[in-house]
Amino acid sequence: MNMSDRHLAELVVDLDAIAHNVRVFREAAAPAGVLAVVKADAYNHGVDVVAPAMLDAGVEQLGVATLGEALHLREILAGLGESYASAPITAWMWTPGEDLAEVFAADINVGVPSLAHARSLVDQAEKTQREAQVSAPVRVTLMVDTGLSRSGVSPAEWRETVELLASKTELVEVTAVMTHMASADDPKSEANNLQAARFAEAIEFCRSRGLRVPCNHIANTPATLHRPDLAYQLVRPGVGLYGIDPIGVDVELRAAMTLRARVTTTRVVPKGEGVSYSHTWRAQRDTRTAVVALGYADGLPRSVSGKMQVTINGKTYPQIGRVCMDQIVVELGPADGAEGSTNGAADVKPGDWAVIFGEGGNSADEFAELAGTISYEVLTMPRGPRVKRVFKGGRPDFSADGSCAAATADDMRALGEQLGKQLEAGTVVVLSGPLGAGKTTLTQGLAAGLGVKGRVQSPTFTIVRTHRAGQRGVGLLHMDAYRLLGADVEEGIEPGRHIDRNEVLDALESLDIDADIDDVVVVAEWGRGVVEPLSEKVLDVQIDRGSVGSPADLAAPEVPAADSRTVTWRWV
């Protein structure tokens, strides 16, 4: 049996939270795009799953540190199909002289952080063109040091590096200039304005030497949130995509990581007895304790010994004594019969989850403060084969029947976008739900997934509307089937009775709608029991919330309510 089958600790990654955070940064950056940083195994969240989820949520590009990370990511994406395989990937850490042939073949955009790197890259690009007999230049990102003094072409080498690359445009295409900000997490730091000015000058110098550099980026997570003037063509958030806000901007980010471990045993420690190594904690009374299966071998820092708290069944308890290699001890409270005893301690039993940080417990920021570090490090802290990574949420699979929750209008729209990306031309979506449930909101997302033209509005008064196909070549026909074929069509079809394809086409023609059902996705609100004969590919989608409205009550606009919806789908 694999060790992971008997794990006692879990790193739970919420893919819906990541998708939500992507939407926050897309809105903050618009009209600029998002280059999502997924280095260090997506900040320890699992790049194999997280990177595709971010692409699904709408990021334009991906960024990693090393070339090895980039090649691994390209392999993962290539195995997921054409829409993922071509996703742009940038990597910026390598050594001059390192063999780049495989990197060029994988179409990795290579960062150039020094003159030595530029010379090495040009030499290898020339060799690749000569030996492989290809004419396309390799794509690179020119890195400029604007004040971090860590990576990026230094001021002393800047002119020569730019002029070298500008003289080799048949070999190298410089697609972007990038830099790293040193103090973006301190919005008042003068270093931010200084680096911004130097970055603008660097771009201007490149263009003065004939380099177009069309896709530049300087803004990290904090700069994206508080310096919209630095968005340029791309922003490059990292930790914020995983739910960490380094500067406390008033945005709703969702933490994506939860670290938790099982309670393995509970016991009563008699008054005066010590707990764990060196007895740094002693019981002041008969005390009930619990042992939790997580220690410093799993990444829990020993520095939090006696400082941290865990949450078990919704209640918070202090950790006591030293953090051990495999376990920690938690004080549950006075033992039964001891002074101050309650029933709370009895609520904890072996097998319960103890949350170290994340959903239902302290935040990563709070844990970082206890550990004397930053939340970035906390995210990358859990490690080893005894901590199993578990994913929840994420891209729903519409190829099979299923259901999921949509807590907000943004969630509903994102769900619709995923549906649109997976639907084929000729599919009929029968969309049902009470007034205000979010049917039109779901359809707006579906339209975005299809990439169709035009704004999607409720069909309550327009009855039916067509949307021209975009790059995918699949259009959208959005209708209120009840009104098209029922109450408001004098010679139409009574609701509840199946019709044939020609009757629907005749009804559309009567409204001067010329649409080939085989070339579009049909979304029919209030269409259950009516439009199914239109296609052999029919997806029935039901949105439920507190109360159910009547399709005859058409005067009320569809206004998303605050309560969560359940979306259920099945193929019929």
Side-chain angles (χ1 to χ4, degrees):
M1 178 177 287
N2 189 291
M3 182 187 299
S4 63
D5 295 331
R6 292 186 178 273
H7 67 280
L8 293 173
E10 285 186 350
L11 193 64
V12 183
V13 177
D14 186 343
L15 296 175
D16 289 338
I18 288 175
H20 167 83
N21 298 334
V22 168
R23 292 194 294 273
V24 169
F25 280 91
R26 288 181 66 191
E27 292 174 5
V34 175
L35 186 158
V37 179
V38 292
K39 64 182 180 179
D41 200 16
Y43 287 59
N44 202 29
H45 289 69
V47 72
D48 295 13
V49 176
V50 167
M54 287 186 175
L55 291 170
D56 288 340
V59 304
E60 283 77 12
Q61 300 188 28
L62 300 168
V64 293
T66 70
L67 298 182
E69 289 178 311
L71 291 171
H72 170 78
L73 182 55
R74 177 64 76 209
E75 181 180 2
I76 293 300
L77 296 178
L80 297 177
E82 185 176 349
S83 61
Y84 296 96
S86 59
I89 300 173
T90 299
W92 47 81
M93 283 182 62
W94 54 289
T95 59
E98 187 174 343
D99 188 353
L100 299 178
E102 185 180 7
V103 177
F104 293 158
D107 194 23
I108 305 300
N109 193 311
V110 182
V112 178
S114 75
L115 178 58
H117 286 82
R119 288 169 174 164
S120 176
L121 187 141
V122 167
D123 289 344
Q124 294 194 58
E126 185 175 20
K127 178 182 178 183
T128 297
Q129 282 199 6
R130 183 176 63 252
E131 294 181 353
Q133 295 184 338
V134 295
S135 58
V138 298
R139 296 182 304 135
V140 304
T141 292
L142 184 53
M143 304 169 65
V144 56
D145 179 14
T146 57
L148 186 62
S149 301
R150 185 187 68 182
S151 61
V153 181
S154 68
E157 296 181 344
W158 178 247
R159 176 183 293 271
E160 187 174 356
T161 302
V162 172
E163 291 179 346
L164 170 63
L165 296 177
S167 69
K168 300 293 183 179
T169 54
E170 75 282 4
L171 300 173
V172 175
E173 178 188 1
V174 182
T175 63
V177 178
M178 68 176 282
T179 195
H180 286 82
M181 300 186 72
S183 303
D185 55 352
D186 178 7
K188 296 180 180 180
S189 173
E190 284 300 318
N192 297 327
N193 290 331
L194 178 60
Q195 286 195 263
R198 289 173 174 173
F199 187 64
E201 292 170 1
I203 294 172
E204 182 61 30
F205 183 77
C206 287
R207 290 174 175 165
S208 73
R209 294 302 188 269
L211 298 175
R212 291 194 311 114
V213 290
C215 205
N216 307 299
H217 41 99
I218 178 177
N220 54 9
T221 288
T224 301
L225 297 177
H226 77 84
R227 288 293 298 265
D229 58 309
L230 299 182
Y232 282 87
Q233 293 77 36
L234 283 175
V235 296
R236 198 179 64 246
V239 74
L241 296 172
Y242 309 96
I244 302 297
D245 177 4
I247 56 174
V249 175
D250 187 21
V251 294
E252 185 185 349
L253 298 178
R254 298 185 193 172
M257 178 183 287
T258 297
L259 177 62
R260 63 185 189 177
R262 296 282 189 187
V263 173
T264 59
T265 186
T266 62
R267 64 182 298 165
V268 173
V269 177
K271 179 179 178 179
E273 290 295 317
V275 168
S276 196
Y277 294 118
S278 300
H279 287 175
T280 58
W281 184 92
R282 287 186 179 274
Q284 301 301 305
R285 55 193 169 187
D286 291 351
T287 303
R288 183 168 293 277
T289 63
V291 174
V292 177
L294 195 76
Y296 58 75
D298 308 302
L300 189 65
R302 198 164 177 265
S303 61
V304 299
S305 295
K307 302 176 184 177
M308 61 179 286
Q309 296 177 323
V310 304
T311 304
I312 307 174
N313 299 329
K315 297 181 180 179
T316 301
Y317 302 97
Q319 180 270 326
I320 55 178
R322 292 271 173 83
V323 171
C324 306
M325 181 179 289
D326 316 300
Q327 53 203 302
I328 56 175
V329 181
V330 174
E331 179 186 3
L332 301 178
D336 294 343
E339 182 181 353
S341 66
T342 66
N343 293 327
D347 293 339
V348 176
K349 59 187 182 301
D352 288 343
W353 286 113
V355 177
I356 310 303
F357 65 81
E359 185 177 5
N362 287 331
S363 69
D365 284 323
E366 291 168 331
F367 189 92
E369 185 174 354
L370 294 175
T373 184
I374 57 175
S375 53
Y376 299 68
E377 184 179 4
V378 169
L379 296 184
T380 59
M381 175 189 76
R383 63 176 182 266
R386 302 190 301 191
V387 181
K388 182 179 181 180
R389 188 182 286 124
V390 178
F391 297 96
K392 71 173 188 175
R395 175 182 178 178
D397 180 9
F398 289 102
S399 66
D401 298 351
S403 67
C404 68
T408 67
D410 283 344
D411 291 341
M412 185 69 75
R413 197 170 289 108
L415 181 66
E417 186 170 354
Q418 291 306 315
L419 173 59
K421 289 179 179 179
Q422 297 180 45
L423 290 180
E424 300 176 348
T427 303
V428 172
V429 178
V430 182
L431 185 53
S432 304
L435 292 171
K439 296 185 296 296
T440 298
T441 303
L442 181 77
T443 306
Q444 289 170 345
L446 187 150
L450 290 174
V452 299
K453 310 294 184 181
R455 181 184 177 189
V456 173
Q457 297 176 306
S458 172
T460 297
F461 299 105
T462 58
I463 303 179
V464 62
R465 185 174 181 181
T466 58
H467 297 267
R468 291 186 296 108
Q471 291 185 347
R472 282 189 57 191
V474 182
L476 172 65
L477 180 63
H478 185 203
M479 69 169 72
D480 183 328
Y482 182 84
R483 297 193 63 204
L484 178 66
L485 303 168
D488 287 351
V489 179
E490 292 182 2
E491 298 181 359
I493 308 302
E494 293 183 4
R497 181 171 71 81
H498 281 285
I499 59 173
D500 64 36
R501 182 187 181 97
N502 289 332
E503 288 175 300
V504 175
L505 297 178
D506 289 344
L508 292 172
E509 186 177 354
S510 71
L511 296 174
D512 294 326
I513 301 295
D514 182 16
D516 189 336
I517 301 298
D518 294 331
D519 294 335
V520 300
V521 167
V522 176
V523 175
E525 298 189 20
W526 306 111
R528 183 176 292 158
V530 176
V531 299
E532 286 86 349
L534 275 176
S535 174
E536 295 181 354
K537 297 178 290 187
V538 178
L539 182 65
D540 185 282
V541 179
Q542 173 72 37
I543 305 176
D544 289 313
R545 62 181 179 89
S547 59
V548 178
S550 166
D553 182 15
L554 296 173
E558 181 158 330
V559 180
D563 53 312
S564 179
R565 274 73 161 155
T566 298
V567 182
T568 305
W569 59 91
R570 64 184 181 89
W571 290 94
V572 297

